[in-house]
Amino acid sequence: MSYYTGNRTGDVPGNLPQPYYWWEAGAMFGALVDYWYYTGDTTYNEVTTQALQFQTGPNKDYMPPNQTKTEGNDDQAFWGMAALSAAEVKFPDPPEDEPQWLALAQAVFNTQVARWDQATCNGGLKWQIFTFNNGYNYKNTISNGCFFNMAARLAMYTKNDTYAQWADKMWDWVGSVGLMSPQYQFFDGTDDTQNCTSVNHIQWSYNAGVFLYGAANMFNYTNGADKWKSRVDGILQGAGVFFQNDVMYEVACEKNGKCNIDQRSFKAYLARWMAATTKLAPYTYDQIMPKIQASSRAAAAQCNAGQDGTQCGLQWTTNGQNDGSFGVGEQMSALEVIQSNLITKVSGPVSNNTGGTSKGDPTAGSQGDDQAMLGQADPITTGDKVGAGFLTTLVLIGILGGAWWMVA
């Protein structure tokens, strides 16, 4: 939390300072929801609630006008998943006159259902929400994976089968365009100007994690259906690429020093969702926990740097040698993998039928209008487009160059 400035006078609650993007703040508050869930420590509850409420936007769907220059479907979803986690673990409910955790997650889901894009590739979600943001023609796996994850979890929480049907639909679409291989490897994304015939084959740990937890929810929701067990098992097998002697690492960029600010946080989400999977598919415990335990020992061994002697580096495979890479992502990844060791000390996610208290609204988000939101946003400048274009270029180079699994 030493990196967070949103609770300082004059700053904006929920925002991280440069160079962090808005989505990572949502992911960070999701980690703090987990922290309370695992430890019962309420130290950060007030600031977490403040952030998760302040960033909801005028339609209470995590579409704040000041984020239109960068907000994609994946960005919005990370805030929605944090709210959904709060509902699932019974994080203290907000006052009744404020948006409720479940309703916020439903709002995000509903806004994204409306963006299902049948015009190209026979469906799927685009990475970007607004046409002026470069990357609008890219259908990335994490945006579609977050949608799948939320659909499966909303099905579990509400027992409304419509969510499960959307989870099935998204799973099938991801496989049909090649973003998921028959061996349950998940690739980065695809270009819809080519009707999704070209795929960027870089693998990121958070893609495996987001689909793993969604599949575990579907396994539980369907009372252990064989197809979902096979999928959970397959994803766990495919995720082996992210482990070296049971220690987690970001295979595409850690060893070559190419991980950017975002990518330095990805291991946090794989750790988060692997641990959570053991609650919904308990038979996976003996396969998952040795990796969590080995990774947490390795992570803790190198969280010994910086002026306070507690800064964690990026790499955990260095036998306790801190690599000097410090930041929100590095701290969050270490926190998530270490606190995941407490998974046996806590109960699993609740639902409407098993003690859940968060109030939902199946119509939440339906009043939102992406285009109307633009009238409340700051004007888009050429510089904004150039900045976004640089990021998109890096992604598309991977497609055009036929990249397989590592950042060049």
Side-chain angles (χ1 to χ4, degrees):
M1 287 298 288
S2 62
Y3 291 92
Y4 180 59
T5 60
N7 56 346
R8 298 179 185 174
T9 301
D11 212 327
V12 179
N15 279 355
L16 284 165
Q18 298 251 351
Y20 300 100
Y21 285 103
W22 181 71
W23 79 271
E24 192 166 346
M28 182 187 77
F29 288 108
L32 290 176
V33 169
D34 283 351
Y35 173 77
W36 171 82
Y37 168 57
Y38 282 124
T39 68
D41 182 359
T42 62
T43 300
Y44 304 109
N45 282 17
E46 183 176 348
V47 71
T48 298
T49 297
Q50 180 194 43
L52 290 174
Q53 290 291 319
F54 193 88
Q55 291 294 328
T56 58
N59 292 320
K60 314 306 180 189
D61 55 6
Y62 289 117
M63 289 286 293
N66 64 334
Q67 296 299 331
T68 53
K69 295 177 184 178
T70 61
E71 184 173 359
N73 282 302
D74 48 356
D75 305 78
Q76 182 193 24
F78 266 90
W79 284 88
M81 289 188 294
L84 185 50
S85 291
E88 291 168 335
V89 303
K90 298 181 70 173
F91 188 77
D93 291 324
E96 290 188 3
D97 61 344
E98 294 181 4
Q100 302 301 296
W101 306 132
L102 178 59
L104 284 166
Q106 290 172 309
V108 171
F109 178 83
N110 288 336
T111 62
Q112 297 197 352
V113 165
R115 299 181 194 132
W116 181 265
D117 176 38
Q118 205 70 32
T120 60
C121 313
N122 200 33
L125 292 178
K126 291 175 175 284
W127 173 21
Q128 296 295 337
I129 297 169
F130 300 107
T131 57
F132 54 74
N133 281 334
N134 287 294
Y136 182 74
N137 293 316
Y138 195 63
K139 293 190 174 180
N140 64 339
T141 301
I142 191 59
S143 291
N144 290 281
C146 289
F147 181 91
F148 167 73
N149 180 292
M150 293 188 70
R153 292 163 66 184
L154 285 168
M156 272 293 294
Y157 196 101
T158 67
K159 308 307 178 189
N160 182 337
D161 198 58
T162 299
Y163 294 119
Q165 293 170 23
W166 271 107
D168 275 319
K169 183 174 184 175
M170 179 58 85
W171 177 277
D172 292 344
W173 181 82
V174 168
S176 72
V177 296
L179 293 179
M180 172 179 60
S181 77
Q183 293 75 40
Y184 298 97
Q185 300 160 313
F186 294 91
F187 306 125
D188 184 77
T190 183
D191 185 351
D192 71 5
T193 64
Q194 301 177 24
N195 204 36
C196 298
T197 56
S198 298
V199 172
N200 180 340
H201 286 95
I202 291 178
Q203 295 184 61
W204 302 111
S205 60
Y206 72 162
N207 282 326
V210 79
F211 277 94
L212 174 64
Y213 192 46
N217 274 269
M218 291 301 290
F219 169 80
N220 197 293
Y221 179 78
T222 58
N223 298 312
D226 288 342
K227 74 173 183 180
W228 286 109
K229 182 180 186 301
S230 295
R231 291 165 177 178
V232 170
D233 293 345
I235 298 170
L236 282 174
Q237 183 70 27
V241 71
F242 302 111
F243 292 87
Q244 178 180 307
N245 298 321
D246 277 350
V247 175
M248 195 182 299
Y249 77 112
E250 200 61 54
V251 65
C253 62
E254 265 193 32
K255 300 293 186 177
N256 61 15
K258 300 285 188 177
C259 293
N260 67 22
I261 292 292
D262 289 348
Q263 294 152 9
R264 294 173 199 173
S265 73
F266 288 177
K267 290 183 294 187
Y269 321 124
L270 179 57
R272 173 190 299 178
W273 288 319
M274 285 181 71
T277 291
T278 67
K279 288 299 191 185
L280 292 167
Y283 75 90
T284 63
Y285 181 89
D286 289 341
Q287 183 177 358
I288 287 175
M289 289 313 293
K291 289 180 168 57
I292 293 292
Q293 291 160 357
S295 296
S296 62
R297 286 193 296 268
Q302 55 79 57
C303 288
N304 54 16
Q307 292 185 349
D308 58 2
T310 62
Q311 291 297 304
C312 306
L314 174 63
Q315 298 182 64
W316 304 341
T317 56
T318 53
N319 297 315
Q321 181 67 40
N322 189 292
D323 63 5
S325 177
F326 304 151
V328 172
E330 290 87 344
Q331 295 299 107
M332 179 164 45
S333 294
L335 172 65
E336 285 281 21
V337 76
I338 291 169
Q339 67 189 12
S340 290
N341 285 279
L342 300 173
I343 192 67
T344 60
K345 308 296 184 183
V346 294
S347 58
V350 299
S351 71
N352 279 339
N353 299 335
T354 59
T357 61
S358 188
K359 295 180 180 179
D361 178 0
T363 67
S366 59
Q367 72 276 24
D369 183 337
D370 291 342
Q371 295 307 308
M373 184 66 65
L374 299 181
Q376 304 175 49
D378 293 334
I380 303 302
T381 67
T382 301
D384 295 324
K385 294 181 179 179
V386 169
F390 178 72
L391 177 60
T392 305
T393 299
L394 292 180
V395 172
L396 296 183
I397 283 173
I399 292 178
L400 299 176
W404 183 248
W405 61 276
M406 183 176 285
V407 175

